[in-house]
Amino acid sequence: MTFSDAWADVEVRHAATADRKFLSLFDDTGRADTFRCDTSDMRLDYSKTNIDAETRDALLALADAADVAAHRDAMFSGQKINQTEGRAVLHTALRNLDGGPVLVDGTDVMPGVLDTLGRMGVFADEIRSSHITDVVNIGIGGSDLGPAMAVQALSPYHDGPAVHFVSNVDAADVSDTLRGLDPKTTLVIVASKTFTTVETMTNARTARAWMSEGGGDPGTQFAALSTSEDGTSQFGIPHERVFGFEDWVGGRYSLWGPIGLSLMIGIGRRGFMAFLRGGQAMDLHFQAAQGAENMPLMHALVGIWHNQFCGHATRAVLPYDQRLGQLPAYFQQLEMESNGKSVRMDGSDVPVHTGPVVWGAPGTNGQHAFYQLIHQGTRTIPCEFMIAAQGHEPDLEHHHHLLVANCLAQSEALMRGRSTDEARVLMREKGFEGAELDRQAAHRVFSGNRPSVTLAYPKLDPFVLGQIIALYEHRVFVEGVILGINSFDQWGVELGKELATALQPVVEGAQTADGKDGSTQALVDFVQRHRVP
Ligand code: F6P
């Protein structure tokens, strides 16, 4: 079947089912067992959507027509699928712990990967048993969001020095983070794939000055994570404290290698290896599981269904896991930097909308903030709930029961809703009558029919976190293949960087704002006039 025929078939399914109340699909009592994917220990339930067997078949046919399996194999085997940068995409090699060789340009990359992993382990052990009390990771984007998210997620396993993160060029970030730390017992890790990112290099220089002035020794208390040997040596970081990686690891996919060093120092070598094992397990599942059994594939198809066919422009990531508080931000980069594109691989315009806006916050907090719009707003927001069967606080199990009940209640409420008749009964019980009864009832109606998926896992440990991250990586990959875009470049961040570089001397007053638009000129003028002289 051609891709356009497969696409048209899904459109037909959408047209045929759009007005249906999908709660009625549960009249088929096997639905919950059928519209889900399991790995050895995780479950993705997508039964609370409008997808039925025919729609799923059409979506799977779409994946076949897009040749997802061939693209997947090309990625795992080191082909240069990042065609605009001429690069392989091999973050999977970083967790291919006991797998076979992975060739790039005919050379096996695995010996290098394992050697660096071994060096990271030795270094992490040294730091963990040294006088170092605090580690500051300075990086931004993929050199910050991944480790920052994972360090918080795995805090119950953290038995190393305290780990802090500085990312923003706003001096507030570095000042607030370094205040209270001892320059003599702090390790600074400069994390930057390119070692040119202005925010990171500015913060790194500020931290170096802070350390020197405070009696620490940047010569021995700085390490670097980068693909740039020149950049790290020019900064003065000795070779033995540089952990390198190759250009086939994209920034937002780099947590699995040296960029994960702060996590490894925090949770130790064993914990980090369990995290890699989780990622590897998801890789093996993604490569082996067939059709509807394949969790990343089905997660992607549900995403494509909601965004490209149903027209829901955003998706909410709602972990009922406080320690996954930074997961929505991490997924924002993973999904929006990967699939926020307008042209296909061949440069032609993508004829449909591409990546959705991704946002969210942990439950239950979001319930008391933005869920109002999710339940009763005019837009449908597909929700992605996440919940662990167990918490890490056995003495406080009643908290966890409440957490689980809230998570499950939200997806049920979104699907079920509350009809006008039900709302009227409620209001009548409260004593309302006549026109006021109608008015009050209208405010208490929930349309329902709002889709969600739920990812359930036993406990947020390093292995499970590795699986979750790899699941989403592959989900983004499959969506990108179906859209025909390159999920592995990020040209959209460049223009703003170029203009910022050009504006810096203007803001400093060394150049005029001549030639800039009127708005920019006026804002520069405002800032200059209100600056402390
Ligand atoms: O500006 C976007 C970006 O290039 C991301 O893709 C990347 O994760 C981030 O900046 C940081 O880049 P680097 O690790 O090279 O400092």
Side-chain angles (χ1 to χ4, degrees):
M1 190 188 296
T2 66
F3 181 77
S4 48
D5 285 347
W7 189 278
D9 282 355
V10 183
E11 282 178 330
V12 168
R13 287 304 304 152
H14 177 248
T17 60
D19 294 333
R20 167 176 71 188
K21 287 270 180 198
F22 63 77
L23 179 59
S24 66
L25 297 174
F26 283 88
D27 294 347
D28 163 9
T29 52
R31 180 168 174 81
D33 292 332
T34 317
F35 289 81
R36 70 178 199 214
C37 282
D38 288 351
T39 61
S40 59
D41 57 356
M42 296 205 313
R43 166 161 302 173
L44 179 71
D45 177 319
Y46 58 96
S47 61
K48 291 190 183 94
T49 67
N50 197 13
I51 294 173
D52 59 16
E54 272 180 77
T55 301
R56 184 170 60 191
D57 287 348
L59 287 165
L60 287 167
L62 181 67
D64 279 347
D67 247 341
V68 167
H71 283 85
R72 175 199 65 199
D73 295 346
M75 175 175 72
F76 277 95
S77 65
Q79 290 180 41
K80 297 194 173 168
I81 62 167
N82 175 356
Q83 293 176 15
T84 58
E85 295 180 302
R87 292 176 183 170
V89 173
L90 277 177
H91 47 280
T92 51
L94 300 175
R95 52 204 191 216
N96 177 39
L97 295 177
D98 37 21
V102 179
L103 303 182
V104 175
D105 293 329
T107 304
D108 183 8
V109 301
M110 287 315 300
V113 166
L114 297 176
D115 179 61
T116 302
L117 184 59
R119 288 183 53 232
M120 285 168 62
V122 171
F123 184 73
D125 287 349
E126 270 171 31
I127 296 297
R128 285 163 60 84
S129 56
S130 73
H131 67 295
I132 294 294
T133 54
D134 295 89
V135 174
V136 177
N137 183 90
I138 296 180
I140 196 164
S143 298
D144 164 74
L145 290 164
M149 173 276 297
V151 163
Q152 185 189 13
L154 299 177
S155 62
Y157 303 89
H158 199 118
D159 54 3
V163 178
H164 315 265
F165 293 89
V166 172
S167 55
N168 200 329
V169 76
D170 185 341
D173 199 4
V174 69
S175 304
D176 288 356
T177 306
L178 296 182
R179 187 180 310 123
L181 300 189
D182 181 348
K184 299 193 186 84
T185 63
T186 297
L187 172 76
V188 172
I189 298 176
V190 186
S192 176
K193 179 175 169 176
T194 55
F195 233 70
T196 59
T197 303
V198 69
E199 292 93 333
T200 300
M201 301 322 297
T202 304
N203 279 323
R205 283 189 288 271
T206 299
R208 187 170 60 186
W210 165 82
M211 188 177 280
S212 300
E213 285 158 19
D217 177 14
T220 57
Q221 289 169 239
F222 263 63
L225 321 172
S226 184
T227 58
S228 170
E229 285 178 25
D230 289 350
T232 53
S233 75
Q234 274 164 27
F235 193 86
I237 301 182
H239 184 68
E240 63 275 13
R241 266 179 284 114
V242 175
F243 299 90
F245 52 105
E246 303 293 329
D247 67 4
W248 39 257
V249 180
R252 53 194 174 274
Y253 299 89
S254 59
L255 171 61
W256 311 96
I259 295 294
L261 183 62
S262 54
L263 174 66
M264 192 194 244
I265 292 173
I267 65 172
R269 215 195 261 238
R270 274 184 54 190
F272 192 76
M273 294 304 276
F275 171 69
L276 296 186
R277 287 277 177 212
Q280 182 186 32
M282 186 54 70
D283 291 345
L284 296 172
H285 168 87
F286 182 44
Q287 292 175 93
Q290 293 300 308
E293 306 290 315
N294 193 305
M295 191 181 281
L297 176 66
M298 279 315 305
H299 206 359
L301 291 174
V302 174
I304 290 276
W305 169 252
H306 285 145
N307 185 7
Q308 276 72 29
F309 292 95
C310 303
H312 306 321
T314 84
R315 68 172 59 129
V317 177
L318 306 169
Y320 276 65
D321 208 319
Q322 180 65 15
R323 295 188 178 104
L324 289 179
Q326 296 186 58
L327 194 68
Y330 176 77
F331 283 168
Q332 277 176 336
Q333 187 194 16
L334 179 63
E335 301 219 17
M336 293 164 77
E337 198 166 70
S338 296
N339 286 348
K341 310 283 163 69
S342 296
V343 294
R344 291 186 282 211
M345 201 64 102
D346 63 6
S348 60
D349 288 344
V350 190
V352 295
H353 283 302
T354 54
V357 177
V358 177
W359 59 284
T364 58
N365 294 17
Q367 290 175 203
H368 300 274
F370 54 79
Y371 277 40
Q372 164 66 41
L373 183 148
I374 294 181
H375 283 286
Q376 285 189 319
T378 51
R379 293 182 173 87
T380 300
I381 311 230
C383 293
E384 303 191 349
F385 294 100
M386 299 185 184
I387 184 70
Q390 284 174 53
H392 283 89
E393 290 74 24
D395 299 347
L396 299 173
E397 214 186 355
H398 58 292
H399 284 250
H400 197 71
H401 292 162
L402 264 173
L403 187 71
V404 173
N406 271 277
C407 179
L408 302 187
Q410 291 300 325
S411 63
E412 185 186 355
L414 286 168
M415 174 171 67
R416 190 174 288 282
R418 181 191 283 147
S419 68
T420 304
D421 286 350
E422 288 168 330
R424 286 174 58 82
V425 169
L426 278 180
M427 290 301 99
R428 191 169 289 115
E429 281 169 10
K430 289 192 187 300
F432 290 102
E433 288 175 354
E436 187 59 9
L437 169 65
D438 293 341
R439 191 174 78 84
Q440 291 290 347
H443 289 272
R444 285 149 176 96
V445 170
F446 292 69
S447 66
N449 223 26
R450 296 179 183 231
S452 66
V453 299
T454 300
L455 182 69
Y457 44 88
K459 189 174 183 178
L460 188 62
D461 63 17
F463 183 79
V464 162
L465 183 69
Q467 285 189 84
I468 294 174
I469 302 306
L471 165 66
Y472 272 78
E473 287 177 349
H474 294 323
R475 184 262 190 111
V476 167
F477 168 75
V478 172
E479 291 193 2
V481 169
I482 291 173
L483 295 169
I485 60 183
N486 182 1
S487 298
F488 299 103
D489 60 14
Q490 54 283 322
W491 299 109
V493 302
E494 295 301 329
L495 179 58
K497 285 185 194 174
E498 284 164 26
L499 293 180
T501 305
L503 264 172
Q504 188 181 348
V506 176
V507 172
E508 287 168 350
Q511 283 177 19
T512 69
D514 292 352
K516 293 286 173 194
D517 60 86
S519 164
T520 306
Q521 284 188 3
L523 290 168
V524 167
D525 182 57
F526 177 90
V527 170
Q528 287 176 338
R529 278 190 294 112
H530 289 80
R531 205 155 35 206
V532 179

